[in-house]
Amino acid sequence: MTILSTTRVGGEKGGKYLRVKHESSSTKTEMTFGLFLPSILDRSAEAAESAKVVPVLFWLSGLTCDDTNFAITAGSRAFDMAEKQNIAIVMPDTSPRGDDVPNVDSWYLGFGAGFYLNATKLPYATHYHMLSYVTIEIPSYLSAHFPGVDTSLKSITGHSMGGHGALTIAFRDPSSWTSVSAFAPICHPTSCARWKEAFEAYLEGGVADGREYDATEILAARNTPIVEYDEIIIEQGTADAVLELMAPEDLEAAAAKCGQNVVLNW
């Protein structure tokens, strides 16, 4: 593990924002994630060695982003609130990267566009395992190297492709996440020609396999709500330039069908 940088946030008594590089068993590459740690972990460092003290929020960024975008665009306000609430925030990269990692000249495929799935189709199947990276490897890594972070109390959210990732990850394994929300998420990717291209590239079964990574399709296949979540909040701007690619109404309809309480704020 290499700590690329450490930034004190909110003055000398504030929390810390770290960028952490490590070898990933999921992607078979080096990966970097951002991590905000509230200052309570400094003040209770000895106790943190034997008792986990803060919950963690997973933030998944959108297309073309990396591990730094959230910290740059929202970090000052988000980290201030996380400090006040004693919450850690982890900010993974959006894809594997490196000279040996397949990439194309596209904003919705390859670098910065891992779609938070486990690819099964070559050439992407070797490295593009972002689902395993986010759901298995990072929680284990945090537990091993940052013992003050309680990975049994983790929530997940994200924007655009990251909102898609947050919803599908939480819907697939609700017992592992205490809450889920999303900002302008891609809600029904298998119904959109643009996102279908990504599923056709990443998955051996193409769009058919993509349904298990589609929040709307997951809810549409249910007859009952996911009981772990009493409310799922989605924020969607009406002036979004790519609103037609997001399909929040499809998710809202699927939620109504199975009785899932999804609050769509326009």
Side-chain angles (χ1 to χ4, degrees), residues 19 61-62 64-70 72 91-94 97 112:
R19 293 188 68 223
S61 287
T64 75
C65 293
D66 60 20
D67 66 283
T68 66
N69 289 79
F70 180 81
I72 292 169
M91 297 147 275
D93 201 348
T94 55
R97 301 173 193 268

Side-chain angles (χ1 to χ4, degrees), residues 64 102-111 113 124 128 197:
T64 75
N103 187 35
V104 293
D105 185 15
S106 169
W107 62 274
Y108 54 89
L109 190 64
F111 290 1
Y124 299 100
Y128 282 74
E197 290 184 42

Side-chain angles (χ1 to χ4, degrees), residues 24 34 45 124 143-144 150 170 178 191 250:
S24 169
Y124 299 100
S143 294
D150 186 353
T178 58
S191 72
D250 290 0

Side-chain angles (χ1 to χ4, degrees), residues 4-263:
L4 297 176
S5 62
T6 301
T7 304
R8 184 70 73 173
V9 181
E12 63 181 22
K13 295 184 179 180
K16 295 177 181 176
Y17 164 59
L18 293 73
R19 293 188 68 223
V20 181
K21 180 191 284 188
H22 68 108
E23 290 289 337
S24 169
S25 59
S26 301
T27 66
K28 299 179 176 61
T29 66
E30 287 188 331
M31 294 292 289
T32 301
F33 63 84
L35 179 64
F36 173 79
L37 298 173
S39 62
I40 191 174
L41 295 181
D42 289 340
R43 299 195 301 272
S44 60
E46 293 183 4
E49 290 299 323
S50 59
K52 296 178 173 63
V53 294
V54 299
V56 59
L57 173 67
F58 278 59
W59 169 269
L60 305 185
S61 287
L63 292 158
T64 75
C65 293
D66 60 20
D67 66 283
T68 66
N69 289 79
F70 180 81
I72 292 169
T73 59
S76 59
R77 285 182 290 179
F79 295 163
D80 180 62
M81 185 58 67
E83 170 70 14
K84 291 175 180 177
Q85 299 295 326
N86 292 327
I87 298 172
I89 305 175
V90 62
M91 297 147 275
D93 201 348
T94 55
S95 75
R97 301 173 193 268
D99 293 341
D100 297 328
V101 178
N103 187 35
V104 293
D105 185 15
S106 169
W107 62 274
Y108 54 89
L109 190 64
F111 290 1
F115 270 87
Y116 302 103
L117 51 73
N118 286 339
T120 56
K121 186 176 181 179
L122 293 173
Y124 299 100
T126 301
H127 299 290
Y128 282 74
H129 293 167
M130 292 303 294
L131 174 64
S132 295
Y133 180 65
V134 169
T135 62
I136 299 173
E137 186 168 358
I138 288 184
S140 296
Y141 198 86
L142 291 175
S143 294
H145 296 280
F146 300 94
V149 177
D150 186 353
T151 56
S152 70
L153 289 174
K154 58 185 185 292
S155 297
I156 192 164
T157 189
H159 169 250
S160 185
M161 179 187 71
H164 142 82
L167 293 171
T168 56
I169 285 170
F171 289 179
R172 287 164 60 102
D173 185 18
S175 64
S176 292
W177 305 90
T178 58
S179 71
V180 57
S181 57
F183 295 81
I186 298 172
C187 293
H188 199 182
T190 60
S191 72
C192 174
R194 175 65 50 81
W195 314 132
K196 284 180 180 180
E197 290 184 42
F199 287 157
E200 293 289 352
Y202 289 138
L203 301 173
E204 194 67 41
V207 173
D209 286 356
R211 293 190 179 95
E212 66 178 289
Y213 297 105
D214 185 316
T216 295
E217 293 294 329
I218 293 171
L219 289 187
R222 297 182 61 91
N223 295 316
T224 58
I226 301 171
V227 297
E228 286 85 352
Y229 306 129
D230 56 358
E231 184 178 69
I232 299 167
I233 298 176
I234 294 176
E235 303 287 342
Q236 175 60 62
T238 57
D240 193 328
V242 291
L243 180 57
E244 72 279 2
L245 304 180
M246 302 294 107
E249 300 94 339
D250 290 0
L251 181 67
E252 193 174 34
K257 172 181 172 291
C258 71
Q260 191 74 52
N261 183 20
V262 171
V263 178

